[in-house]
């Protein structure tokens, strides 16, 4: 099946360009979050949801066929073929992978919702100077955006923290018994750590 990206609207705002004329994502064209929206909209309108698709609830998406996604979809929408590079971009923009519940394997960001591309202004590159606490709060928001039972939200938060790039966040994840406490208990532990500078950035 041949897949072609959605034509860019004339009025679409261009991403910020760096010195030398390069944009934050690619040279010209849509920003990475808007390319994601266009790709997922096309997946449903052009019938390649067996490769990548929005998940139930329209707040997360999943790559269903990594091989075809890399060979057929990525070159047309992202000018690359390596899935690890795509995952790295998702991580840079604050997307988190869902590890628990019926949406397991999907990617979520609190400001990435089907039919609401205007919210993509909230999907930005992670700031290098963001404090650890700010990063954890973002993880809490993403885990909550997935929905599900309270235990599933807590389990997804645990996974997101355990896979964080920052060792202090991983240490907090290791010290919290996510299985026996509710989400409120997890949050209390996180903010207690912040007050004692355990998550100071």
């Amino acid at each position: 099946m041949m897949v072609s990206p959605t034509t860019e609207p004339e009025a679409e705002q261009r991403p910020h360009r760096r010195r030398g004329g390069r944009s934050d994502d690619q040279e010209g064209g849509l920003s990475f979050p808007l390319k994601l929206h266009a790709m997922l909209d096309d997946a449903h309108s052009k019938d390649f949801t067996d490769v990548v698709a929005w998940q139930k609830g329209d707040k997360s998406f999943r790559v269903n066929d990594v091989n075809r996604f890399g060979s057929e979809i990525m070159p047309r929408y992202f000018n690359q073929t390596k899935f690890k590079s795509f995952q790295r971009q998702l991580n840079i923009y604050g997307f988190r992978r869902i590890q628990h519940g019926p949406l397991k394997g999907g990617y979520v960001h609190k400001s990435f919702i089907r039919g609401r591309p205007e919210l993509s202004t909230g999907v930005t590159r992670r700031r290098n100077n963001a404090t650890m606490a700010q990063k954890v709060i973002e993880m809490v928001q993403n885990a909550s955006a997935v929905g599900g039972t309270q235990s599933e939200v807590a389990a997804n938060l645990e996974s997101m923290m355990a896979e964080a790039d920052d060792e202090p966040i991983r240490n907090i994840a290791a010290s919290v018994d996510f299985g026996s406490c509710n989400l409120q208990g997890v949050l209390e532990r996180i903010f207690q750590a912040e007050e004692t500078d355990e998550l100071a950035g």
Side-chain angles (χ1 to χ4, degrees):
M1 178 189 307
M2 297 296 291
V3 180
S4 59
T6 299
T7 302
E8 176 187 350
E10 292 183 3
E12 185 56 61
Q13 189 174 21
R14 292 291 194 275
H16 174 70
R17 291 184 174 276
R18 298 175 182 171
R19 291 179 182 177
R22 292 197 59 162
S23 70
D24 281 343
D25 300 292
Q26 305 260 347
E27 291 193 11
L30 300 174
S31 67
F32 179 73
L34 289 179
K35 286 180 181 180
L36 278 178
H37 268 289
M39 175 195 70
L40 289 164
D41 287 347
D42 284 354
H44 289 264
S45 65
K46 299 181 179 180
D47 195 26
F48 55 93
T49 54
D50 55 328
V51 180
V52 61
W54 288 103
Q55 293 184 295
K56 184 178 180 179
D58 296 333
K59 294 183 178 180
S60 63
F61 72 94
R62 188 177 190 277
V63 176
N64 299 313
D65 188 328
V66 173
N67 291 332
R68 287 185 59 197
F69 184 74
S71 64
E72 298 177 21
I73 309 302
M74 288 183 59
R76 298 180 180 277
Y77 291 87
F78 305 105
N79 296 323
Q80 57 182 317
T81 59
K82 295 182 179 179
F83 187 64
K84 286 187 179 295
S85 297
F86 177 73
Q87 289 179 308
R88 189 157 49 247
Q89 281 288 91
L90 291 175
N91 186 53
I92 289 172
Y93 278 88
F95 284 83
R96 294 292 174 179
R97 190 169 186 182
I98 305 167
Q99 299 287 0
H100 303 275
L103 303 180
K104 181 179 179 180
Y107 292 91
V108 62
H109 188 292
K110 62 185 177 66
S111 298
F112 192 75
I113 300 173
R114 185 178 186 179
R116 302 292 305 277
E118 72 278 7
L119 297 180
S120 292
T121 55
V123 185
T124 58
R125 288 173 174 261
R126 293 189 305 178
R127 304 185 307 278
N128 290 332
N129 63 346
T131 66
M132 300 293 181
Q134 287 172 329
K135 293 177 182 178
V136 171
I137 290 172
E138 180 183 84
M139 292 178 194
V140 172
Q141 293 171 330
N142 284 337
S144 299
V146 177
T149 65
Q150 186 166 292
S151 61
E152 287 174 346
V153 172
N156 275 312
L157 175 59
E158 177 184 16
S159 296
M160 291 175 185
M161 291 178 64
E163 295 175 357
D165 296 331
D166 306 286
E167 184 177 359
I169 294 178
R170 296 196 301 271
N171 290 340
I172 291 296
S175 68
V176 174
D177 185 357
F178 289 83
S180 64
C181 65
N182 58 29
L183 184 57
Q184 183 62 37
V186 174
L187 292 174
E188 288 175 359
R189 176 70 182 87
I190 291 168
F191 289 116
Q192 179 185 9
E194 181 185 17
E195 290 174 0
T196 59
D197 292 333
E198 193 171 348
L199 290 178

